[in-house]
Amino acid sequence: MLEQQVKKADMRAGFTEYAWDMNWCDPCAADPLSFEELRSLGVFWSNETPPDLIPGRGRRPIMPPMGGARDIFVTRMHVRYDAQHFPEDLVLQETADRSNFQARYVLRHPWKGEESSCPATDEYRRQITQRQQNEARQLADLTGWQLADIRSQMNLRTANAGDGKWWQKLWTC
């Protein structure tokens, strides 16, 4: 996915995977990094002794997580560039912005139960088909994969298969 997006941006962009204030998370994807992990990332200014309390981002002070990071902000970026596309090296600067960001991929599986007497079943199935077509197009856009191959893997009909007359839909289900 990164390779495709770098190509689309003509190697003229950096991509942030996450930016995280190690003092705060809601919900936490994982435990804060340990002192040793932070040292391995180059955090030389932090000491191993945690503070008693951490300022609570506009709230009351909170207790620091046990064994985790303290007043550290971690950012993971991906950049591919050369002299032709970036005439100068990247320059990073410290800012006061401590907004969290995290790319997430959510897999959702549609209900495949038997037909029911629920009046919303037909509309639900129509929405699922529409959502899956959108997901296939987005995946093709992000990865550069062929849309027809994605649709085949997802067992989807072509985009216009459901747009015909009622009798044309009988044989495509």
Side-chain angles (χ1 to χ4, degrees):
M1 190 180 326
L2 175 65
E3 186 175 321
Q4 177 67 16
Q5 296 306 306
V6 167
K7 192 183 308 179
K8 283 176 102 174
D10 194 31
M11 292 182 70
R12 297 181 190 276
F15 299 90
T16 302
E17 182 178 342
Y18 59 82
W20 213 255
D21 184 340
M22 301 299 289
N23 278 339
W24 176 84
C25 63
D26 183 20
C28 294
D31 290 335
L33 297 177
S34 69
F35 176 76
E36 292 78 24
E37 290 168 321
L38 288 169
R39 285 283 184 199
S40 73
L41 291 175
V43 178
F44 58 85
W45 60 89
S46 181
N47 61 28
E48 194 166 3
T49 306
D52 293 332
L53 294 175
I54 298 173
R57 293 179 56 95
R59 300 181 304 266
R60 301 182 294 133
I62 56 174
M63 292 299 294
M66 297 306 294
R70 301 301 170 254
D71 192 20
I72 307 292
F73 193 90
V74 177
T75 303
R76 182 171 185 183
M77 296 175 59
H78 299 271
V79 181
R80 293 186 187 163
Y81 67 100
D82 59 21
Q84 183 181 15
H85 295 87
F86 272 88
E88 297 177 22
D89 286 335
L90 285 177
V91 177
L92 303 177
Q93 73 180 43
E94 184 177 353
T95 71
D97 184 1
R98 291 183 73 110
S99 301
N100 290 341
F101 169 81
Q102 177 178 341
R104 292 185 186 191
Y105 302 93
V106 178
L107 301 176
R108 297 178 358 188
H109 303 281
W111 173 70
K112 294 184 180 183
E114 296 295 319
E115 292 294 326
S116 71
S117 60
C118 177
T121 301
D122 290 338
E123 176 61 16
Y124 171 78
R125 291 193 192 284
R126 187 193 65 73
Q127 288 177 2
I128 290 296
T129 301
Q130 185 178 16
R131 186 187 88 205
Q132 289 174 329
Q133 293 291 348
N134 288 338
E135 289 170 353
R137 281 190 293 275
Q138 288 173 349
L139 184 59
D141 185 50
L142 288 170
T143 61
W145 298 341
Q146 294 297 312
L147 182 57
D149 294 341
I150 295 170
R151 285 185 173 139
S152 175
Q153 288 287 322
M154 293 175 70
N155 294 318
L156 297 179
R157 298 176 281 166
T158 60
N160 296 326
D163 295 341
K165 304 285 184 194
W166 68 268
W167 49 268
Q168 291 172 319
K169 296 181 200 174
L170 289 173
W171 310 113
T172 59
C173 294

